[in-house]
Amino acid sequence: MTAIDPRPLTGEPVSLDLLNTRWNEEGGRRDLLTEVEGLAVWLAANGLAERFTADATTLRHTLAARDALAALVDHPGDPSATARVDAVLGHGRIRATLTAEGPGEEAEFADPAWGPGWTAARDYLDLLRTAPDRIRACAHEACILHFFDTSRNGTRRWCSMAVCGNRAKASRHYARTKES
């Protein structure tokens, strides 16, 4: 049985969910991917547990992918960050297939340990292709989480309105009442 996912934000696209394996909590930094058990939790949360093995090699490659994606998200267009993500993508490819349902695609890896990281990097390309302006970092200054804004008008600012949005509102309210 897989352990419970302790992260405050889950369910984002797999690329952003990989970035969200690091978060701030009670003034300290937490990281789900410090152990193979955390990788198992992340794989299960993203429907990847049946396809990939949670082991030390997969963890190492997944961390390399997370670091590459984080560099690119923090510095869009940076040639070094782009090259790092491209290097991760070099570990897999898409093979066109024909199935009973029609045309399909299947991911292939020379080393399956790169599968989860490659899948996250590939997902990031899909987000860039779909709506790059909707890839966001939480607006709360103490939060390091990312999300894909699916709101109708594209104005979401917080990873969670209940947590970070509420903190910001409470902070503004406190500042206003203190001035009075």
Side-chain angles (χ1 to χ4, degrees):
M1 186 174 136
T2 306
I4 294 172
D5 194 334
R7 299 175 297 149
L9 178 64
T10 58
E12 290 299 320
V14 68
S15 56
L16 302 180
D17 199 69
L18 180 57
L19 294 178
N20 292 342
T21 56
R22 286 188 284 215
W23 69 97
N24 289 331
E25 185 175 87
E26 297 173 7
R29 176 77 52 103
R30 299 271 319 265
D31 188 342
L32 181 65
L33 301 183
T34 58
E35 303 283 335
V36 170
E37 292 77 19
L39 175 62
V41 168
W42 183 77
L43 290 172
N46 286 280
L48 301 173
E50 300 295 318
R51 292 175 49 204
F52 304 110
T53 305
D55 61 23
T57 303
T58 304
L59 177 60
R60 188 172 63 251
H61 295 329
T62 303
L63 288 171
R66 180 180 72 179
D67 291 345
L69 285 169
L72 190 59
V73 168
D74 291 343
H75 307 287
D78 176 67
S80 172
T82 301
R84 289 174 65 190
V85 171
D86 204 36
V88 172
L89 290 166
H91 291 282
R93 70 183 184 115
I94 294 291
R95 184 172 61 84
T97 62
L98 183 57
T99 68
E101 293 81 38
E105 293 182 339
E106 188 174 301
E108 291 183 340
F109 311 99
D111 178 357
W114 277 100
W118 181 91
T119 300
R122 168 72 190 219
D123 176 72
Y124 191 71
L125 294 183
D126 291 341
L127 295 181
L128 287 174
R129 197 175 295 114
T130 305
D133 56 321
R134 298 241 175 169
I135 300 167
R136 307 247 171 86
C138 181
H140 193 279
E141 67 277 353
C143 186
I144 61 170
L145 297 175
H146 295 82
F147 61 91
F148 188 71
D149 184 358
T150 57
S151 67
R152 184 179 303 194
N153 58 3
T155 58
R156 180 176 163 194
R157 298 181 56 211
W158 319 107
C159 66
S160 163
M161 192 60 208
V163 179
C164 288
N166 194 42
R167 281 186 203 146
K169 285 181 175 180
S171 174
R172 285 194 306 267
H173 175 73
Y174 176 76
R176 277 194 309 273
T177 57
K178 191 175 175 187
E179 289 171 3
S180 300

